[in-house]
């Protein structure tokens, strides 16, 4: 080696058994020394190599345990276990499941509904740890239960059964006993029910054959159709079906005015009870109608009908017996 400095460097590496390459890049010794002693304040890190004393780039940080291709980092969060919860409503403890309306509320701040179903038997939902309130409605019966799902819940599946202690009424109303069911307005009223005020209306419906799911006790059933109203009291027992029947002792009639064998349009009907012993007809009608074919449901008895046609009133008496279903024509001149 011709350069004294290079000979000195080679002498330093010789005891270590390292050879110094004799072929060097063509640069001056001064340039090499200048690069090695550059001012740290102006030095720039080589791309991909972390700067001394600086933060370690994310690409140089150790991957989380288990990480690999296709692994999505969760920031260290532990997966939250979820429980498969089946809701089951029964009328009695030994009874079968019944379809009910469900609502499950997470009791947080604020509370929020996490599940709802209008009419379903044994719905299943998935819940994470927390406190909840299950609300179930079965007809006019409601129940509320609170429960908690623990973070270390031992069972991934659970059935939560709610005993409603409910009974069922299926009433029928007819003109007389054995007659087909009539359409009308049903009203269920509290007669004697624990923790309920007597006289309170529970539910109303115009269904021809309604079904009422009720808490145990006694209820007054009121039925109205046409010009007839009747009531009965029925007892509701847990898990039992009761079918009360109301016989109205009424007639179902249709009035039609005819001229020349053809029904008249644009008429007006008034119906009165027939007075006894030649007394005058009452001023206020029992019922009125502007239909060409006027239908009335009346208690069995005697009546007077008046019809206004072409600016003139026509009158006709008639009688009906309970259970009658017929059309009554008024022949006009």
């Amino acid at each position: 080696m011709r350069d004294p400095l290079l000979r000195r460097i080679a002498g330093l590496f010789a005891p270590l058994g390292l050879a110094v390459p004799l072929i060097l890049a063509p640069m001056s010794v001064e340039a090499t020394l200048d690069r090695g002693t550059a001012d740290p304040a102006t030095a720039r890190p080589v791309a991909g190599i972390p700067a001394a004393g600086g933060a370690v780039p994310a690409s140089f940080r150790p991957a989380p345990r288990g990480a690999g291709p296709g692994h999505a980092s969760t920031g260290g969060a532990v997966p939250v276990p979820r429980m498969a919860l089946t809701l089951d409503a029964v009328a009695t403890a030994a009874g079968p499941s019944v379809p009910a309306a469900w609502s499950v509320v997470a009791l947080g701040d604020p509370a929020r509904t996490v599940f709802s179903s209008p009419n379903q038997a044994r719905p299943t939902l998935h819940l994470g740890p927390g406190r909840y309130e299950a609300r179930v409605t079965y007809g006019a019966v409601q129940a509320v239960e609170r429960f908690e799902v623990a973070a270390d819940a031992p069972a991934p599946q659970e059935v939560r059964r709610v005993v409603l202690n409910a009974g069922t009424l299926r009433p029928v109303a007819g003109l007389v006993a054995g007659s087909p069911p009539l359409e009308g307005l049903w009203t269920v009223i509290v007669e004697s029910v624990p923790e309920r005020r007597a006289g309170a209306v529970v539910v109303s419906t115009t269904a021809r054959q309604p079904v009422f799911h009720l808490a145990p006790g006694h209820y007054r059933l009121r039925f109205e159709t046409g010009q007839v109203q009747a009531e009965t009291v029925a007892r509701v027992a847990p898990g039992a079906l009761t079918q009360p029947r109301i016989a109205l002792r009424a007639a179902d009639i249709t009035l039609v005015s005819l001229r020349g064998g053809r029904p008249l349009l644009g008429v007006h009907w008034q119906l009165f009870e027939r007075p006894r012993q030649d007394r005058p007809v009452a001023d206020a009608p029992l019922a009125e109608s502007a239909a060409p074919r006027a239908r009335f449901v009346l208690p069995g008895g005697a009546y007077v009908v008046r019809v206004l046609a072409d600016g003139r009133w026509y009158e006709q008496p008639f009688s009906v017996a309970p259970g009658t279903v017929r059309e009554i024509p008024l022949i006009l001149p």
Side-chain angles (χ1 to χ4, degrees), residues 107-132:
L107 299 177
D109 187 15
R112 59 189 180 90
T113 300
V114 296
F115 176 80
S116 63
S117 174
N119 190 29
Q120 188 175 357
R122 295 179 61 84
T124 298
L125 61 153
H126 295 81
L127 298 174
R131 296 173 58 248
Y132 298 90

Side-chain angles (χ1 to χ4, degrees), residues 29-205:
V29 174
E30 292 78 24
T32 303
L33 293 176
D34 288 342
R35 290 195 177 192
T37 59
D39 185 355
T42 60
R44 293 177 297 174
V46 178
I49 301 177
V56 179
S59 58
F60 281 84
R61 297 172 187 166
R65 181 173 298 178
H71 174 81
S73 175
T74 60
V78 178
V80 178
R82 298 181 70 82
M83 172 183 288
L85 181 67
T86 299
L87 302 173
D88 186 21
V90 292
T92 60
S97 302
V98 296
W102 291 94
S103 177
V104 177
V105 177
L107 299 177
D109 187 15
R112 59 189 180 90
T113 300
V114 296
F115 176 80
S116 63
S117 174
N119 190 29
Q120 188 175 357
R122 295 179 61 84
T124 298
L125 61 153
H126 295 81
L127 298 174
R131 296 173 58 248
Y132 298 90
E133 183 176 271
R135 304 169 183 172
V136 56
T137 301
Y138 179 58
V141 180
Q142 296 182 333
V144 177
E145 287 198 5
R146 291 191 174 185
F147 61 95
E148 184 172 354
V149 176
D152 56 349
Q157 293 185 346
E158 182 179 317
V159 177
R160 180 158 295 274
R161 174 169 291 185
V162 178
V163 180
L164 298 168
N165 194 34
T168 301
L169 287 182
R170 187 180 294 165
V172 174
L175 294 176
V176 292
S179 294
L182 286 173
E183 291 182 349
L185 174 63
W186 286 98
T187 305
V188 180
I189 304 168
V190 173
E191 182 77 7
S192 176
V193 180
E195 301 182 1
R196 294 297 301 269
R197 178 178 59 85
V201 175
V202 179
V203 63
S204 296
T205 181

